[in-house]
Amino acid sequence: MKKYLTFFAAALMVTACQNDELTTEEVQQKGDPITIGVDEGSLTRAVGEVNTATKLAETGFGIFASYTGKLKYENTTVSPDFMYNQKVVGQSASGGGYNWVYNPVKYWPNSTSKETGESNEYVSFFAYAPYEANPREGSETGIIDMSKKYDLGDPWLNFRLPDKPWGDGANQVDLMYGVKTGGLIDTGWDDELFIDQMKPSDVKSSMRFVFRHALACIGDQITVQLTSDMATYISGYATVYLDKLTIEYKNLTTKARLVLNSPSGPNWKEIISGELTTTRTYTKQPDTRLQLTDTPQELSAHEGLFYIPLQVRGTDAPVAEVTIDYTVRNNAGTEYKGQATTTIPLSLTFEGQKQAIALQITKDLGLLHLTYEIGYEPATEPSYSREAR
């Protein structure tokens, strides 16, 4: 499952001028600056620490914003030309953390209600990370396209899985989207977006974005062990060594569209064009001969795979086919080579979900696996659910 931390960075002073097409001269001259903030911890993920606060401060994140005047966002169709792919970056703050800034300055509309004296014009904001200045359809990885400045409707991003997804995270893009608030419900996160925002009474207060992970993840932790029955069975007679682990991720959606408001929150939409699915293979050989016991031994160095949590219609379901090659050595010094396999279905319940892989060699030298989902709160212990062989 997706793991979110919350990080209250120093409030950002983020300002800019409003578009000529959308604002009156009065707004341009007398507006109050729009300020942006980022919630602490939502910028990290265990896999390769792909999106630390430091990295996001450097790469930045993008904002689309639509001005709808006195009409609410759902009651009109507008383009995100109030702020179009506006880059926001972090600058180190004297007290630690970051101030998040952008340029040029944007201002709140100044129109107020005659009855209440309060602001009565709306702006809706949508954020994503990491920032992409020039998405190209021919790119091999990451954001390859996005909605244009004067396209009407919800802003969107087209995303493609990388060809080389393994390593320390440098070859993967941990795509994220920004929300206002939200909590965990049975089917995912009940998030609110920054839709229909009016000038706040305290214009110095910032809009703090909480970042959610748009991609699912599997294999950030891979462990292997003998079952207790197996360990007892061979005790004093033989040893088992792991030679190689191979995981083949099949039927992964190659590219898809993330709509940043669809209709009540960000959601993946299938793209039917070009290559639809892909396969990724991961191979791990221990640096030294690894003797297995009934104690779990970690194989991966947080080299999990991000994937789009969307199945292309009419194709087989995404799975991870796991194979281990092992050697059994008896007391006479004779070695026997063996292989065991299992198939793990990839959960497409909702984006951000994170699965680890825990493998066990059984008494009959077969292979079963235990998968666990990492809890939403940092203090939550993994909960295990046994899968069939």
Side-chain angles (χ1 to χ4, degrees), residues 103-236:
N103 184 58
V105 176
K106 287 288 181 182
Y107 296 93
W108 289 106
N110 269 337
S111 175
T112 57
S113 167
K114 293 181 180 179
E115 291 76 18
T116 65
E118 296 178 347
S119 174
N120 64 349
E121 290 187 274
Y122 299 103
V123 183
S124 296
F125 301 85
F126 307 91
Y128 75 93
Y131 180 77
E132 178 59 64
N134 299 301
R136 298 183 302 277
E137 180 62 32
S139 299
E140 294 183 355
T141 183
I143 299 169
I144 59 174
D145 198 8
M146 64 178 57
S147 52
K148 305 303 184 286
K149 184 173 183 178
Y150 297 109
D151 285 352
L152 299 179
D154 300 319
W156 50 263
L157 309 168
N158 284 357
F159 181 87
R160 175 180 283 134
L161 287 182
D163 290 335
K164 299 177 180 179
W166 301 110
D168 62 358
N171 294 317
Q172 295 197 78
V173 176
D174 187 7
L175 183 65
M176 301 190 295
Y177 57 84
V179 297
K180 181 179 180 181
T181 61
L184 179 63
I185 57 176
D186 291 341
T187 57
W189 286 91
D190 183 20
D191 288 320
E192 294 181 16
L193 299 176
F194 281 102
I195 291 180
D196 298 329
Q197 302 299 296
M198 296 185 294
K199 182 172 65 175
S201 56
D202 178 7
V203 294
K204 293 182 179 180
S205 65
S206 64
M207 298 187 300
R208 289 198 186 97
F209 282 97
V210 175
F211 279 96
R212 304 287 193 219
H213 298 281
L215 301 172
C217 177
I218 188 171
D220 70 299
Q221 183 185 50
I222 303 172
T223 59
V224 64
Q225 68 185 96
L226 306 180
T227 62
S228 57
D229 286 347
M230 176 63 170
T232 301
Y233 181 67
I234 68 171
S235 178

Side-chain angles (χ1 to χ4, degrees), residues 43-325:
L43 307 180
T44 62
R45 187 168 184 152
V47 183
E49 296 299 328
V50 174
N51 263 313
T52 62
T54 300
K55 183 169 183 178
L56 195 74
E58 296 172 354
T59 61
F61 62 92
I63 293 181
F64 299 93
S66 298
Y67 167 80
T68 57
K70 295 179 174 60
L71 295 176
K72 292 195 173 183
Y73 186 83
E74 63 181 10
N75 296 330
T76 186
T77 302
V78 292
S79 60
D81 55 348
F82 181 82
M83 295 173 73
Y84 177 74
N85 198 26
Q86 175 63 62
K87 185 176 184 179
V88 181
V89 297
Q91 295 181 348
S92 297
S94 58
Y98 295 93
N99 293 322
W100 299 89
V101 298
Y102 68 86
N103 184 58
V105 176
K106 287 288 181 182
Y107 296 93
W108 289 106
N110 269 337
S111 175
T112 57
S113 167
K114 293 181 180 179
E115 291 76 18
T116 65
E118 296 178 347
S119 174
N120 64 349
E121 290 187 274
Y122 299 103
V123 183
S124 296
F125 301 85
F126 307 91
Y128 75 93
Y131 180 77
E132 178 59 64
N134 299 301
R136 298 183 302 277
E137 180 62 32
S139 299
E140 294 183 355
T141 183
I143 299 169
I144 59 174
D145 198 8
M146 64 178 57
S147 52
K148 305 303 184 286
K149 184 173 183 178
Y150 297 109
D151 285 352
L152 299 179
D154 300 319
W156 50 263
L157 309 168
N158 284 357
F159 181 87
R160 175 180 283 134
L161 287 182
D163 290 335
K164 299 177 180 179
W166 301 110
D168 62 358
N171 294 317
Q172 295 197 78
V173 176
D174 187 7
L175 183 65
M176 301 190 295
Y177 57 84
V179 297
K180 181 179 180 181
T181 61
L184 179 63
I185 57 176
D186 291 341
T187 57
W189 286 91
D190 183 20
D191 288 320
E192 294 181 16
L193 299 176
F194 281 102
I195 291 180
D196 298 329
Q197 302 299 296
M198 296 185 294
K199 182 172 65 175
S201 56
D202 178 7
V203 294
K204 293 182 179 180
S205 65
S206 64
M207 298 187 300
R208 289 198 186 97
F209 282 97
V210 175
F211 279 96
R212 304 287 193 219
H213 298 281
L215 301 172
C217 177
I218 188 171
D220 70 299
Q221 183 185 50
I222 303 172
T223 59
V224 64
Q225 68 185 96
L226 306 180
T227 62
S228 57
D229 286 347
M230 176 63 170
T232 301
Y233 181 67
I234 68 171
S235 178
Y237 299 95
T239 54
V240 178
Y241 300 93
L242 176 71
D243 298 323
K244 184 172 67 173
L245 165 80
T246 302
I247 308 177
E248 192 170 28
Y249 298 92
K250 294 185 174 182
N251 307 317
L252 300 179
T253 299
T254 302
K255 64 178 182 179
R257 174 169 295 181
L258 181 69
V259 181
L260 297 179
N261 178 50
S262 178
S264 58
N267 195 12
W268 286 99
K269 298 294 183 182
E270 182 180 322
I271 297 177
I272 305 299
S273 63
E275 181 187 3
L276 299 182
T277 60
T278 187
T279 297
R280 297 286 184 263
T281 301
Y282 172 71
T283 302
K284 178 74 174 181
Q285 291 179 284
D287 297 330
T288 59
R289 197 171 197 189
L290 182 62
Q291 180 179 341
L292 299 180
T293 68
D294 56 356
T295 300
Q297 299 191 55
E298 187 169 354
L299 296 181
S300 65
H302 300 297
E303 296 175 336
L305 173 71
F306 296 156
Y307 65 92
I308 298 170
L310 180 69
Q311 182 179 351
V312 176
R313 288 189 294 270
T315 63
D316 294 332
V319 296
E321 293 187 357
V322 183
T323 301
I324 62 169
D325 294 285

